[in-house]
């Protein structure tokens, strides 16, 4: 195992180069063209023959057959970027206006590619098969995982694992959580139809703002009064649009948009039902109508208990007991949950905070960046997991 770890460390400069190239040329979800081409070409240059492209649309799946008998383990990395203007003052700043890797997907991709390279160079020692899943469109519902699964990316796979670098988590620290780890993510769009007119003569109108503001406040009671206090839930209205810039005109309609995050199906079902009930009830009370479009997004990321115990033990062995920290469920969403609905596995996190705290920014921020050494830590954990799953000593 140490030989493989050393080989991975020797790839660090190459890992950085590939990551920074991706960072400079990001591509948005469902618009990834050159990125999957580069990924596929990387595998072809390695001499790996079993490489599928356009999996589920834009995904890439490569399979390595080791020299020892064993089971099949899948490792996943995402590769889409976000519609954010890169504000960092670094040489690898995004060259694509309004698009940047602000969530670490470039880190994930480069890591997985070089893990594959090291395993291929030592394939006689590798047990079973390793499937490298390179996924598109993680950032946008309905995501890419669902379509890749439908296209057979998990066929023959016994277990699936993934990791996410965390820019605000100290470098060198790692963590994993059995059970519900990351929230489901739903969206809602509500259009309240009134009757606009002169703001000085409201008696002739039906002001949709009265419904919208009452609804805005009422939606907050879904979590505070309709949800078990021991369960987690978030209902956030993020867009409130009248389309009316004039001070003396009552708008004809108001649009609200928002998101719902939950960690269990009961809370999720209740939130959807109550949003619909409150919207209709309040609109009816004011003599107006309302249309609601509720879209179910990613499922809860539910880590398999046994496989997460495995990951935690691997983390202790590779990183040291003192560097494995306790983590809590998160209300961010991830479509890795789709993989875990199909196969046992676990999704874990790895610290990537920069040394200077002044340079530490959260994910989806214009100044987002990470300590690139986190790629080595993720890579080692991936390699160790492949061996541990097949009963090989580390």
């Amino acid at each position: 195992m140490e030989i493989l770890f050393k080989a991975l460390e020797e790839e660090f400069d190459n890992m950085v180069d590939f990551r920074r190239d991706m960072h400079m040329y990001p591509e948005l979800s469902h618009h990834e063209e050159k990125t999957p081409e580069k990924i596929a070409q990387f595998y072809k240059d390695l001499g790996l023959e079993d490489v599928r492209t356009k999996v589920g649309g834009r995904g890439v799946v490569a399979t390595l057959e080791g020299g020892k008998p064993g089971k099949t383990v899948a490792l996943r990395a995402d590769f889409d970027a976000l519609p954010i203007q890169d504000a960092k003052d670094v040489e690898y700043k995004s060259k694509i206006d309004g698009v940047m890797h602000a969530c670490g997907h470039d880190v994930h991709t480069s890591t997985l590619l070089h893990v594959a390279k090291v395993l291929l160079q030592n394939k006689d020692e590798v047990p079973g098969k390793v499937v490298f899943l390179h996924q598109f469109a993680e950032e946008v519902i309905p995501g890419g995982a669902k379509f890749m699964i439908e296209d057979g990316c998990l066929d023959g796979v016994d277990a699936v694992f993934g990791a996410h670098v965390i820019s605000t988590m100290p470098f060198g620290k790692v963590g994993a959580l059995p059970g519900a780890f990351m929230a489901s993510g739903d969206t809602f769009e509500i259009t309240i139809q009134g009757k606009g007119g002169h703001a000085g003569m409201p008696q002739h109108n039906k002001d949709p703002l009265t419904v919208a503001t009452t609804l805005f406040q009422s939606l907050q009671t879904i979590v505070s009064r309709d949800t078990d206090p021991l369960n987690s839930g978030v209902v956030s209205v993020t867009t409130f649009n009248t389309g009316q810039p004039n001070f003396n005109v009552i708008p004809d309609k108001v649009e609200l948009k928002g998101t719902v995050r939950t960690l269990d199906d009961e809370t999720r079902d209740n939130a959807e039902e109550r949003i619909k009930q409150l919207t209709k009830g309040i609109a009816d009370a004011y003599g107006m109508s309302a249309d609601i479009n509720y879209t179910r997004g990613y499922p809860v990321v539910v880590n398999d208990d046994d496989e997460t115990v495995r990951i935690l033990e691997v983390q202790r062995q590779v990183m040291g007991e003192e560097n494995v920290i306790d983590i809590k469920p998160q209300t961010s969403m991830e479509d890795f949950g789709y993989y875990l609905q199909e196969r046992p596995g676990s999704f874990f996190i790895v610290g990537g905070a920069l040394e200077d705290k002044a340079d530490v920014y959260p994910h989806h921020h214009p100044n987002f960046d990470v300590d690139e050494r986190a790629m080595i830590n993720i890579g080692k954990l991936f390699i160790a997991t492949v061996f541990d799953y097949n009963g090989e000593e580390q």
Side-chain angles (χ1 to χ4, degrees), residues 97-299:
D97 190 49
V99 184
M100 74 171 287
H101 276 291
C103 202
H105 296 187
D106 50 347
V107 168
H108 304 160
T109 299
S110 184
T111 299
L112 190 58
L113 288 171
H114 289 86
V115 165
K117 181 178 181 179
V118 168
L119 291 177
L120 180 61
Q121 291 172 342
N122 297 272
K123 69 176 183 178
D124 289 345
E125 302 301 318
V126 176
K129 292 183 180 180
V130 185
V131 178
F132 305 98
L133 305 176
H134 292 272
Q135 185 202 309
F136 64 102
E138 185 276 329
E139 294 287 359
V140 177
I141 294 172
K146 183 178 180 180
F147 300 111
M148 289 185 65
I149 292 168
E150 291 172 354
D151 200 9
C153 75
L154 292 180
D155 289 356
V157 169
D158 294 298
V160 59
F161 300 93
H164 206 302
V165 65
I166 303 296
S167 65
T168 54
M169 184 178 180
F171 169 74
K173 302 298 182 181
V174 295
L177 184 71
F181 174 40
M182 301 180 80
S184 60
D186 301 342
T187 62
F188 59 88
E189 300 179 9
I190 299 170
T191 301
I192 300 161
Q193 185 64 55
K195 181 182 178 183
H198 199 293
M201 292 176 277
Q203 72 275 20
H204 299 308
N205 312 315
K206 289 184 180 294
D207 188 352
L209 279 166
T210 58
V211 174
T213 53
T214 302
L215 179 60
F216 176 83
Q217 291 182 315
S218 297
L219 290 176
Q220 307 312 309
T221 67
I222 294 174
V223 174
S224 67
R225 288 296 177 266
D226 290 330
T227 299
D228 186 330
L230 299 180
N231 294 338
S232 296
V234 175
V235 177
S236 293
V237 176
T238 56
T239 300
F240 196 107
N241 181 26
T242 68
Q244 179 49 259
N246 298 314
F247 72 91
N248 62 343
V249 178
I250 290 175
D252 202 48
K253 64 181 180 180
V254 177
E255 296 177 338
L256 284 74
K257 296 181 181 180
T259 186
V260 176
R261 307 295 174 91
T262 60
L263 287 163
D264 65 274
D265 290 338
E266 181 181 354
T267 304
R268 187 182 196 183
D269 292 342
N270 180 66
E272 178 179 359
E273 181 181 2
R274 291 297 290 140
I275 288 173
K276 292 177 178 178
Q277 288 175 344
L278 287 168
T279 300
K280 184 180 185 305
I282 294 171
D284 286 346
Y286 284 94
M288 286 175 251
S289 62
D291 292 326
I292 179 167
N293 180 21
Y294 192 99
T295 302
R296 290 220 165 191
Y298 304 156

